[in-house]
């Protein structure tokens, strides 16, 4: 399997087997079933090139309304969580500067994700841990529409944190490992 396809497959497994299956994002199932999620691998490891690729994805979303959201997978160069957070800050600035604030929102996922002020080993961090560093471009209008039909949307993060802590870190370590396993040939 070509390397880029492997990254996409692992990320798609994560979306289906973790995010959707355990309802970490109650809106993911609809988009998975509609096949409206775009998965793109960006091999560049310099922030400037990654930001240009992110901007290209915004333009693609502008032109393709049937594509609901894009997951930009960064397999190299952002393994360190703090370097990744610097990239996320630059990406947020770029979206603002390019007039995309209010149109697209950026969510971030990383294998070592750690919420500010929380210990690294807190299971709650797994609500934002992914197989690879990933920038998620989401349409603001879609978020607003989905939240309007959802009772108590403010409870989603709290519910996810409670679920993650109840299941524990070992549970999520195994789930993430399963997402990146390549099926054996029969």
């Amino acid at each position: 399997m070509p390397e880029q396809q492997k990254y996409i497959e692992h990320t798609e497994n994560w979306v289906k087997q973790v995010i959707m299956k355990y309802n970490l994002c109650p809106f993911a199932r609809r988009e998975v079933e509609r096949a409206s999620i775009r998965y793109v691998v960006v091999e560049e490891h310099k922030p400037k090139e990654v930001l240009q690729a992110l901007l290209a994805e915004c333009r693609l979303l502008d032109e393709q309304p049937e594509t609901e959201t894009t997951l930009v997978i960064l397999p190299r160069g952002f393994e360190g969580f703090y370097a990744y957070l610097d990239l996320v800050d630059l990406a947020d600035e770029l979206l603002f500067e390019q007039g995309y604030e209010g149109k697209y929102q950026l969510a971030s996922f990383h294998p070592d994700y750690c919420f500010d002020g929380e210990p690294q080993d807190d299971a709650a961090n797994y609500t934002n841990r992914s197989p690879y560093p990933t920038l998620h471009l989401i349409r603001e209008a879609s978020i607003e529409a989905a939240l309007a039909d959802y009772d108590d949307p403010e409870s989603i993060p709290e519910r996810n944190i409670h679920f993650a802590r109840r299941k524990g870190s070992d549970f999520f370590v195994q789930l993430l490992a399963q997402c990146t396993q390549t099926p054996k040939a029969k």
Side-chain angles (χ1 to χ4, degrees):
M1 157 183 355
E3 205 164 9
Q4 284 198 348
Q5 188 56 41
K6 174 185 80 171
Y7 299 133
I8 290 170
E9 183 179 296
H10 294 170
T11 302
E12 198 169 9
N13 289 345
W14 167 71
V15 167
K16 291 176 181 174
Q17 297 169 18
V18 179
I19 302 301
M20 189 177 91
K21 181 176 180 178
Y22 294 99
N23 205 30
L24 295 179
C25 174
F27 317 113
R29 178 176 300 281
R30 177 177 183 259
E31 303 317 322
V32 167
E33 290 173 351
R34 291 177 57 219
S36 63
I37 301 171
R38 177 172 158 79
Y39 298 87
V40 63
V41 176
V42 175
E43 295 277 359
E44 285 80 6
H45 58 276
K46 292 184 179 171
K48 186 175 181 179
E49 284 87 9
V50 172
L51 294 174
Q52 289 306 310
L54 187 68
L55 201 52
E57 286 303 313
C58 289
R59 292 182 190 121
L60 185 135
L61 287 172
D62 286 346
E63 296 166 6
Q64 296 182 4
E66 68 280 2
T67 303
E68 184 60 41
T69 189
T70 299
L71 291 169
V72 179
I73 306 158
L74 308 170
R76 292 185 221 333
F78 299 96
E79 294 86 355
F81 183 57
Y82 295 106
Y84 172 76
L85 287 180
D86 290 343
L87 176 70
V88 171
D89 288 342
L90 291 171
D92 278 331
E93 287 175 26
L94 179 70
L95 292 180
F96 176 78
E97 289 168 4
Q98 296 295 315
Y100 284 114
E101 183 181 48
K103 187 166 188 177
Y104 300 116
Q105 185 179 108
L106 196 62
S108 63
F109 302 93
H110 191 278
D112 295 324
Y113 199 96
C114 186
F115 288 105
D116 192 32
E118 297 298 325
Q120 182 71 27
D121 63 352
D122 185 341
N125 294 316
Y126 281 93
T127 62
N128 282 59
R129 288 192 180 169
S130 56
Y132 308 101
T134 303
L135 298 172
H136 183 189
L137 279 169
I138 310 165
R139 295 178 186 275
E140 287 271 349
S142 298
I143 292 172
E144 290 170 12
L147 292 177
D149 292 335
Y150 192 85
D151 290 335
D152 195 21
E154 296 80 21
S155 69
I156 296 169
E158 293 170 22
R159 184 200 65 207
N160 288 345
I161 289 168
H162 177 74
F163 171 75
R165 287 179 175 156
R166 186 168 39 88
K167 287 295 196 178
S169 294
D170 289 344
F171 173 79
F172 286 98
V173 167
Q174 288 179 335
L175 274 181
L176 282 173
Q178 289 170 5
C179 293
T180 59
Q181 290 176 354
T182 306
K184 292 181 173 68
K186 294 180 180 179

